[in-house]
Amino acid sequence: MSETVRMVCPVGRKHVELWAGYALVVLGVVVVAIDPGHWAHITLGLLLALGGVGLAAHGHMIKAPVLEVSDGEFRYQRGRYIVRVPFHDIGSYYVLPGRIRSLGLCDSTGRPKRFPSLQSRRAARTYLPLTGMTSPAKVESFMAVAGIPPRKRSLTS
């Protein structure tokens, strides 16, 4: 496969933190603009604006998981954590249900592949975490475009 296929998982918490942070900054400016001569309005406006800046900064730091297939390689990236798997080593995939969706990859014999842990929490895991807003149908269409069959329709089973 010479073409790049890419999917960025939506992160709802990031959008909420960004919008709430920007709203608090605006609210802080409005509170100060109402009565700029009174110390209570200035203090409240400053605290609201600082809280909004902190919330928006934290929202910008949240990294969304990215799935990508290019140049014969499957790549999963979430911040500094990167997993690269040669495309020919992937036999099938499965999506784990639950509050936070996860993607599992299987080798050509149908056994789940193991990946190093995220942020050194476990020794290894058999899935790659996505986000709760990631639709299983969207993951299935991405994998179909990439040419990876689902586990239930794998050639080996």
mmCIF file with all atom_site columns, all heavy atoms in Angstrom, residues 88 90-93 106-110 147-157:
data_model
loop_
_atom_site.group_PDB
_atom_site.id
_atom_site.type_symbol
_atom_site.label_atom_id
_atom_site.label_alt_id
_atom_site.label_comp_id
_atom_site.label_asym_id
_atom_site.label_entity_id
_atom_site.label_seq_id
_atom_site.pdbx_PDB_ins_code
_atom_site.Cartn_x
_atom_site.Cartn_y
_atom_site.Cartn_z
_atom_site.occupancy
_atom_site.B_iso_or_equiv
_atom_site.pdbx_formal_charge
_atom_site.auth_seq_id
_atom_site.auth_comp_id
_atom_site.auth_asym_id
_atom_site.auth_atom_id
_atom_site.pdbx_PDB_model_num
ATOM 1   N N   . HIS A 1 88  ? 2.456   -6.635  6.947  1.00 0.00 ? 88  HIS A N   1
ATOM 2   C CA  . HIS A 1 88  ? 2.347   -8.073  6.634  1.00 0.00 ? 88  HIS A CA  1
ATOM 3   C C   . HIS A 1 88  ? 2.253   -8.928  7.898  1.00 0.00 ? 88  HIS A C   1
ATOM 4   O O   . HIS A 1 88  ? 1.908   -10.100 7.826  1.00 0.00 ? 88  HIS A O   1
ATOM 5   C CB  . HIS A 1 88  ? 3.511   -8.537  5.749  1.00 0.00 ? 88  HIS A CB  1
ATOM 6   C CG  . HIS A 1 88  ? 4.853   -8.312  6.360  1.00 0.00 ? 88  HIS A CG  1
ATOM 7   N ND1 . HIS A 1 88  ? 5.407   -9.157  7.279  1.00 0.00 ? 88  HIS A ND1 1
ATOM 8   C CD2 . HIS A 1 88  ? 5.750   -7.320  6.180  1.00 0.00 ? 88  HIS A CD2 1
ATOM 9   C CE1 . HIS A 1 88  ? 6.593   -8.714  7.647  1.00 0.00 ? 88  HIS A CE1 1
ATOM 10  N NE2 . HIS A 1 88  ? 6.828   -7.587  6.986  1.00 0.00 ? 88  HIS A NE2 1
ATOM 11  N N   . ILE A 1 90  ? 0.114   -8.283  10.338 1.00 0.00 ? 90  ILE A N   1
ATOM 12  C CA  . ILE A 1 90  ? -1.249  -8.158  10.845 1.00 0.00 ? 90  ILE A CA  1
ATOM 13  C C   . ILE A 1 90  ? -2.160  -9.085  10.061 1.00 0.00 ? 90  ILE A C   1
ATOM 14  O O   . ILE A 1 90  ? -2.255  -8.987  8.839  1.00 0.00 ? 90  ILE A O   1
ATOM 15  C CB  . ILE A 1 90  ? -1.753  -6.707  10.728 1.00 0.00 ? 90  ILE A CB  1
ATOM 16  C CG1 . ILE A 1 90  ? -0.832  -5.763  11.498 1.00 0.00 ? 90  ILE A CG1 1
ATOM 17  C CG2 . ILE A 1 90  ? -3.183  -6.597  11.243 1.00 0.00 ? 90  ILE A CG2 1
ATOM 18  C CD1 . ILE A 1 90  ? -1.142  -4.299  11.298 1.00 0.00 ? 90  ILE A CD1 1
ATOM 19  N N   . GLY A 1 91  ? -2.832  -9.996  10.774 1.00 0.00 ? 91  GLY A N   1
ATOM 20  C CA  . GLY A 1 91  ? -3.759  -10.910 10.113 1.00 0.00 ? 91  GLY A CA  1
ATOM 21  C C   . GLY A 1 91  ? -5.199  -10.425 10.181 1.00 0.00 ? 91  GLY A C   1
ATOM 22  O O   . GLY A 1 91  ? -5.954  -10.551 9.228  1.00 0.00 ? 91  GLY A O   1
ATOM 23  N N   . SER A 1 92  ? -5.581  -9.846  11.321 1.00 0.00 ? 92  SER A N   1
ATOM 24  C CA  . SER A 1 92  ? -6.939  -9.346  11.502 1.00 0.00 ? 92  SER A CA  1
ATOM 25  C C   . SER A 1 92  ? -6.965  -8.374  12.674 1.00 0.00 ? 92  SER A C   1
ATOM 26  O O   . SER A 1 92  ? -5.944  -8.132  13.315 1.00 0.00 ? 92  SER A O   1
ATOM 27  C CB  . SER A 1 92  ? -7.908  -10.505 11.744 1.00 0.00 ? 92  SER A CB  1
ATOM 28  O OG  . SER A 1 92  ? -7.542  -11.212 12.915 1.00 0.00 ? 92  SER A OG  1
ATOM 29  N N   . TYR A 1 93  ? -8.133  -7.828  12.951 1.00 0.00 ? 93  TYR A N   1
ATOM 30  C CA  . TYR A 1 93  ? -8.301  -6.892  14.050 1.00 0.00 ? 93  TYR A CA  1
ATOM 31  C C   . TYR A 1 93  ? -9.623  -7.149  14.747 1.00 0.00 ? 93  TYR A C   1
ATOM 32  O O   . TYR A 1 93  ? -10.489 -7.844  14.228 1.00 0.00 ? 93  TYR A O   1
ATOM 33  C CB  . TYR A 1 93  ? -8.270  -5.440  13.555 1.00 0.00 ? 93  TYR A CB  1
ATOM 34  C CG  . TYR A 1 93  ? -9.551  -5.023  12.884 1.00 0.00 ? 93  TYR A CG  1
ATOM 35  C CD1 . TYR A 1 93  ? -10.564 -4.372  13.596 1.00 0.00 ? 93  TYR A CD1 1
ATOM 36  C CD2 . TYR A 1 93  ? -9.788  -5.303  11.542 1.00 0.00 ? 93  TYR A CD2 1
ATOM 37  C CE1 . TYR A 1 93  ? -11.751 -4.025  12.992 1.00 0.00 ? 93  TYR A CE1 1
ATOM 38  C CE2 . TYR A 1 93  ? -10.967 -4.947  10.934 1.00 0.00 ? 93  TYR A CE2 1
ATOM 39  C CZ  . TYR A 1 93  ? -11.945 -4.303  11.669 1.00 0.00 ? 93  TYR A CZ  1
ATOM 40  O OH  . TYR A 1 93  ? -13.125 -3.961  11.061 1.00 0.00 ? 93  TYR A OH  1
ATOM 41  N N   . CYS A 1 106 ? -4.391  -8.868  15.549 1.00 0.00 ? 106 CYS A N   1
ATOM 42  C CA  . CYS A 1 106 ? -4.002  -10.278 15.614 1.00 0.00 ? 106 CYS A CA  1
ATOM 43  C C   . CYS A 1 106 ? -2.968  -10.566 14.540 1.00 0.00 ? 106 CYS A C   1
ATOM 44  O O   . CYS A 1 106 ? -2.958  -9.938  13.475 1.00 0.00 ? 106 CYS A O   1
ATOM 45  C CB  . CYS A 1 106 ? -5.221  -11.173 15.395 1.00 0.00 ? 106 CYS A CB  1
ATOM 46  S SG  . CYS A 1 106 ? -6.502  -10.945 16.626 1.00 0.00 ? 106 CYS A SG  1
ATOM 47  N N   . ASP A 1 107 ? -2.108  -11.547 14.812 1.00 0.00 ? 107 ASP A N   1
ATOM 48  C CA  . ASP A 1 107 ? -1.143  -11.947 13.797 1.00 0.00 ? 107 ASP A CA  1
ATOM 49  C C   . ASP A 1 107 ? -1.821  -12.873 12.792 1.00 0.00 ? 107 ASP A C   1
ATOM 50  O O   . ASP A 1 107 ? -3.021  -13.110 12.856 1.00 0.00 ? 107 ASP A O   1
ATOM 51  C CB  . ASP A 1 107 ? 0.092   -12.576 14.436 1.00 0.00 ? 107 ASP A CB  1
ATOM 52  C CG  . ASP A 1 107 ? -0.226  -13.791 15.277 1.00 0.00 ? 107 ASP A CG  1
ATOM 53  O OD1 . ASP A 1 107 ? -1.354  -14.293 15.207 1.00 0.00 ? 107 ASP A OD1 1
ATOM 54  O OD2 . ASP A 1 107 ? 0.673   -14.241 16.010 1.00 0.00 ? 107 ASP A OD2 1
ATOM 55  N N   . SER A 1 108 ? -1.072  -13.417 11.878 1.00 0.00 ? 108 SER A N   1
ATOM 56  C CA  . SER A 1 108 ? -1.655  -14.236 10.811 1.00 0.00 ? 108 SER A CA  1
ATOM 57  C C   . SER A 1 108 ? -2.235  -15.556 11.315 1.00 0.00 ? 108 SER A C   1
ATOM 58  O O   . SER A 1 108 ? -3.050  -16.170 10.642 1.00 0.00 ? 108 SER A O   1
ATOM 59  C CB  . SER A 1 108 ? -0.612  -14.505 9.731  1.00 0.00 ? 108 SER A CB  1
ATOM 60  O OG  . SER A 1 108 ? 0.517   -15.133 10.305 1.00 0.00 ? 108 SER A OG  1
ATOM 61  N N   . THR A 1 109 ? -1.850  -15.990 12.517 1.00 0.00 ? 109 THR A N   1
ATOM 62  C CA  . THR A 1 109 ? -2.409  -17.219 13.074 1.00 0.00 ? 109 THR A CA  1
ATOM 63  C C   . THR A 1 109 ? -3.668  -16.961 13.903 1.00 0.00 ? 109 THR A C   1
ATOM 64  O O   . THR A 1 109 ? -4.295  -17.898 14.376 1.00 0.00 ? 109 THR A O   1
ATOM 65  C CB  . THR A 1 109 ? -1.378  -17.934 13.968 1.00 0.00 ? 109 THR A CB  1
ATOM 66  O OG1 . THR A 1 109 ? -1.035  -17.090 15.049 1.00 0.00 ? 109 THR A OG1 1
ATOM 67  C CG2 . THR A 1 109 ? -0.155  -18.322 13.164 1.00 0.00 ? 109 THR A CG2 1
ATOM 68  N N   . GLY A 1 110 ? -4.010  -15.680 14.136 1.00 0.00 ? 110 GLY A N   1
ATOM 69  C CA  . GLY A 1 110 ? -5.207  -15.344 14.894 1.00 0.00 ? 110 GLY A CA  1
ATOM 70  C C   . GLY A 1 110 ? -4.961  -15.025 16.355 1.00 0.00 ? 110 GLY A C   1
ATOM 71  O O   . GLY A 1 110 ? -5.890  -14.731 17.092 1.00 0.00 ? 110 GLY A O   1
ATOM 72  N N   . GLY A 1 147 ? -7.297  -2.349  4.338  1.00 0.00 ? 147 GLY A N   1
ATOM 73  C CA  . GLY A 1 147 ? -7.163  -3.713  3.835  1.00 0.00 ? 147 GLY A CA  1
ATOM 74  C C   . GLY A 1 147 ? -6.949  -4.761  4.910  1.00 0.00 ? 147 GLY A C   1
ATOM 75  O O   . GLY A 1 147 ? -6.454  -5.846  4.625  1.00 0.00 ? 147 GLY A O   1
ATOM 76  N N   . ILE A 1 148 ? -7.315  -4.469  6.145  1.00 0.00 ? 148 ILE A N   1
ATOM 77  C CA  . ILE A 1 148 ? -7.157  -5.423  7.247  1.00 0.00 ? 148 ILE A CA  1
ATOM 78  C C   . ILE A 1 148 ? -8.533  -6.001  7.570  1.00 0.00 ? 148 ILE A C   1
ATOM 79  O O   . ILE A 1 148 ? -9.459  -5.261  7.877  1.00 0.00 ? 148 ILE A O   1
ATOM 80  C CB  . ILE A 1 148 ? -6.566  -4.731  8.493  1.00 0.00 ? 148 ILE A CB  1
ATOM 81  C CG1 . ILE A 1 148 ? -5.212  -4.106  8.142  1.00 0.00 ? 148 ILE A CG1 1
ATOM 82  C CG2 . ILE A 1 148 ? -6.423  -5.718  9.638  1.00 0.00 ? 148 ILE A CG2 1
ATOM 83  C CD1 . ILE A 1 148 ? -4.645  -3.219  9.225  1.00 0.00 ? 148 ILE A CD1 1
ATOM 84  N N   . PRO A 1 149 ? -8.711  -7.332  7.495  1.00 0.00 ? 149 PRO A N   1
ATOM 85  C CA  . PRO A 1 149 ? -10.030 -7.926  7.746  1.00 0.00 ? 149 PRO A CA  1
ATOM 86  C C   . PRO A 1 149 ? -10.346 -8.009  9.243  1.00 0.00 ? 149 PRO A C   1
ATOM 87  O O   . PRO A 1 149 ? -9.441  -8.090  10.065 1.00 0.00 ? 149 PRO A O   1
ATOM 88  C CB  . PRO A 1 149 ? -9.903  -9.330  7.148  1.00 0.00 ? 149 PRO A CB  1
ATOM 89  C CG  . PRO A 1 149 ? -8.454  -9.650  7.283  1.00 0.00 ? 149 PRO A CG  1
ATOM 90  C CD  . PRO A 1 149 ? -7.731  -8.341  7.104  1.00 0.00 ? 149 PRO A CD  1
ATOM 91  N N   . PRO A 1 150 ? -11.641 -7.992  9.593  1.00 0.00 ? 150 PRO A N   1
ATOM 92  C CA  . PRO A 1 150 ? -12.000 -8.194  11.002 1.00 0.00 ? 150 PRO A CA  1
ATOM 93  C C   . PRO A 1 150 ? -11.711 -9.624  11.438 1.00 0.00 ? 150 PRO A C   1
ATOM 94  O O   . PRO A 1 150 ? -11.582 -10.529 10.611 1.00 0.00 ? 150 PRO A O   1
ATOM 95  C CB  . PRO A 1 150 ? -13.495 -7.890  11.054 1.00 0.00 ? 150 PRO A CB  1
ATOM 96  C CG  . PRO A 1 150 ? -13.957 -7.917  9.658  1.00 0.00 ? 150 PRO A CG  1
ATOM 97  C CD  . PRO A 1 150 ? -12.788 -7.720  8.763  1.00 0.00 ? 150 PRO A CD  1
ATOM 98  N N   . ARG A 1 151 ? -11.607 -9.839  12.727 1.00 0.00 ? 151 ARG A N   1
ATOM 99  C CA  . ARG A 1 151 ? -11.229 -11.146 13.263 1.00 0.00 ? 151 ARG A CA  1
ATOM 100 C C   . ARG A 1 151 ? -12.226 -12.232 12.881 1.00 0.00 ? 151 ARG A C   1
ATOM 101 O O   . ARG A 1 151 ? -11.848 -13.346 12.575 1.00 0.00 ? 151 ARG A O   1
ATOM 102 C CB  . ARG A 1 151 ? -11.104 -11.061 14.779 1.00 0.00 ? 151 ARG A CB  1
ATOM 103 C CG  . ARG A 1 151 ? -10.535 -12.299 15.402 1.00 0.00 ? 151 ARG A CG  1
ATOM 104 C CD  . ARG A 1 151 ? -10.359 -12.075 16.878 1.00 0.00 ? 151 ARG A CD  1
ATOM 105 N NE  . ARG A 1 151 ? -9.476  -13.080 17.425 1.00 0.00 ? 151 ARG A NE  1
ATOM 106 C CZ  . ARG A 1 151 ? -9.101  -13.111 18.676 1.00 0.00 ? 151 ARG A CZ  1
ATOM 107 N NH1 . ARG A 1 151 ? -9.505  -12.183 19.504 1.00 0.00 ? 151 ARG A NH1 1
ATOM 108 N NH2 . ARG A 1 151 ? -8.307  -14.052 19.116 1.00 0.00 ? 151 ARG A NH2 1
ATOM 109 N N   . LYS A 1 152 ? -13.505 -11.906 12.886 1.00 0.00 ? 152 LYS A N   1
ATOM 110 C CA  . LYS A 1 152 ? -14.512 -12.922 12.579 1.00 0.00 ? 152 LYS A CA  1
ATOM 111 C C   . LYS A 1 152 ? -14.491 -13.351 11.110 1.00 0.00 ? 152 LYS A C   1
ATOM 112 O O   . LYS A 1 152 ? -15.011 -14.382 10.757 1.00 0.00 ? 152 LYS A O   1
ATOM 113 C CB  . LYS A 1 152 ? -15.900 -12.418 12.973 1.00 0.00 ? 152 LYS A CB  1
ATOM 114 C CG  . LYS A 1 152 ? -16.333 -11.165 12.264 1.00 0.00 ? 152 LYS A CG  1
ATOM 115 C CD  . LYS A 1 152 ? -17.633 -10.656 12.813 1.00 0.00 ? 152 LYS A CD  1
ATOM 116 C CE  . LYS A 1 152 ? -17.914 -9.279  12.233 1.00 0.00 ? 152 LYS A CE  1
ATOM 117 N NZ  . LYS A 1 152 ? -18.600 -8.416  13.114 1.00 0.00 ? 152 LYS A NZ  1
ATOM 118 N N   . ARG A 1 153 ? -13.891 -12.522 10.241 1.00 0.00 ? 153 ARG A N   1
ATOM 119 C CA  . ARG A 1 153 ? -13.787 -12.871 8.822  1.00 0.00 ? 153 ARG A CA  1
ATOM 120 C C   . ARG A 1 153 ? -12.353 -13.091 8.398  1.00 0.00 ? 153 ARG A C   1
ATOM 121 O O   . ARG A 1 153 ? -12.012 -12.945 7.243  1.00 0.00 ? 153 ARG A O   1
ATOM 122 C CB  . ARG A 1 153 ? -14.424 -11.774 7.972  1.00 0.00 ? 153 ARG A CB  1
ATOM 123 C CG  . ARG A 1 153 ? -15.932 -11.830 8.021  1.00 0.00 ? 153 ARG A CG  1
ATOM 124 C CD  . ARG A 1 153 ? -16.507 -10.825 7.082  1.00 0.00 ? 153 ARG A CD  1
ATOM 125 N NE  . ARG A 1 153 ? -16.890 -9.668  7.879  1.00 0.00 ? 153 ARG A NE  1
ATOM 126 C CZ  . ARG A 1 153 ? -16.949 -8.436  7.413  1.00 0.00 ? 153 ARG A CZ  1
ATOM 127 N NH1 . ARG A 1 153 ? -16.641 -8.160  6.190  1.00 0.00 ? 153 ARG A NH1 1
ATOM 128 N NH2 . ARG A 1 153 ? -17.289 -7.459  8.199  1.00 0.00 ? 153 ARG A NH2 1
ATOM 129 N N   . SER A 1 154 ? -11.497 -13.403 9.348  1.00 0.00 ? 154 SER A N   1
ATOM 130 C CA  . SER A 1 154 ? -10.093 -13.595 9.060  1.00 0.00 ? 154 SER A CA  1
ATOM 131 C C   . SER A 1 154 ? -9.899  -14.819 8.159  1.00 0.00 ? 154 SER A C   1
ATOM 132 O O   . SER A 1 154 ? -10.646 -15.787 8.225  1.00 0.00 ? 154 SER A O   1
ATOM 133 C CB  . SER A 1 154 ? -9.316  -13.779 10.352 1.00 0.00 ? 154 SER A CB  1
ATOM 134 O OG  . SER A 1 154 ? -7.979  -14.070 10.076 1.00 0.00 ? 154 SER A OG  1
ATOM 135 N N   . LEU A 1 155 ? -8.886  -14.797 7.356  1.00 0.00 ? 155 LEU A N   1
ATOM 136 C CA  . LEU A 1 155 ? -8.612  -15.914 6.453  1.00 0.00 ? 155 LEU A CA  1
ATOM 137 C C   . LEU A 1 155 ? -8.158  -17.147 7.216  1.00 0.00 ? 155 LEU A C   1
ATOM 138 O O   . LEU A 1 155 ? -8.283  -18.265 6.731  1.00 0.00 ? 155 LEU A O   1
ATOM 139 C CB  . LEU A 1 155 ? -7.534  -15.499 5.442  1.00 0.00 ? 155 LEU A CB  1
ATOM 140 C CG  . LEU A 1 155 ? -7.904  -14.338 4.534  1.00 0.00 ? 155 LEU A CG  1
ATOM 141 C CD1 . LEU A 1 155 ? -6.713  -13.946 3.691  1.00 0.00 ? 155 LEU A CD1 1
ATOM 142 C CD2 . LEU A 1 155 ? -9.075  -14.687 3.655  1.00 0.00 ? 155 LEU A CD2 1
ATOM 143 N N   . THR A 1 156 ? -7.626  -16.961 8.415  1.00 0.00 ? 156 THR A N   1
ATOM 144 C CA  . THR A 1 156 ? -7.060  -18.086 9.159  1.00 0.00 ? 156 THR A CA  1
ATOM 145 C C   . THR A 1 156 ? -8.076  -18.811 10.019 1.00 0.00 ? 156 THR A C   1
ATOM 146 O O   . THR A 1 156 ? -7.832  -19.911 10.461 1.00 0.00 ? 156 THR A O   1
ATOM 147 C CB  . THR A 1 156 ? -5.916  -17.609 10.066 1.00 0.00 ? 156 THR A CB  1
ATOM 148 O OG1 . THR A 1 156 ? -6.436  -16.637 10.970 1.00 0.00 ? 156 THR A OG1 1
ATOM 149 C CG2 . THR A 1 156 ? -4.800  -17.028 9.250  1.00 0.00 ? 156 THR A CG2 1
ATOM 150 N N   . SER A 1 157 ? -9.219  -18.202 10.320 1.00 0.00 ? 157 SER A N   1
ATOM 151 C CA  . SER A 1 157 ? -10.169 -18.847 11.233 1.00 0.00 ? 157 SER A CA  1
ATOM 152 C C   . SER A 1 157 ? -11.159 -19.739 10.513 1.00 0.00 ? 157 SER A C   1
ATOM 153 O O   . SER A 1 157 ? -11.265 -19.839 9.359  1.00 0.00 ? 157 SER A O   1
ATOM 154 C CB  . SER A 1 157 ? -10.932 -17.813 12.037 1.00 0.00 ? 157 SER A CB  1
ATOM 155 O OG  . SER A 1 157 ? -11.579 -16.907 11.194 1.00 0.00 ? 157 SER A OG  1
#
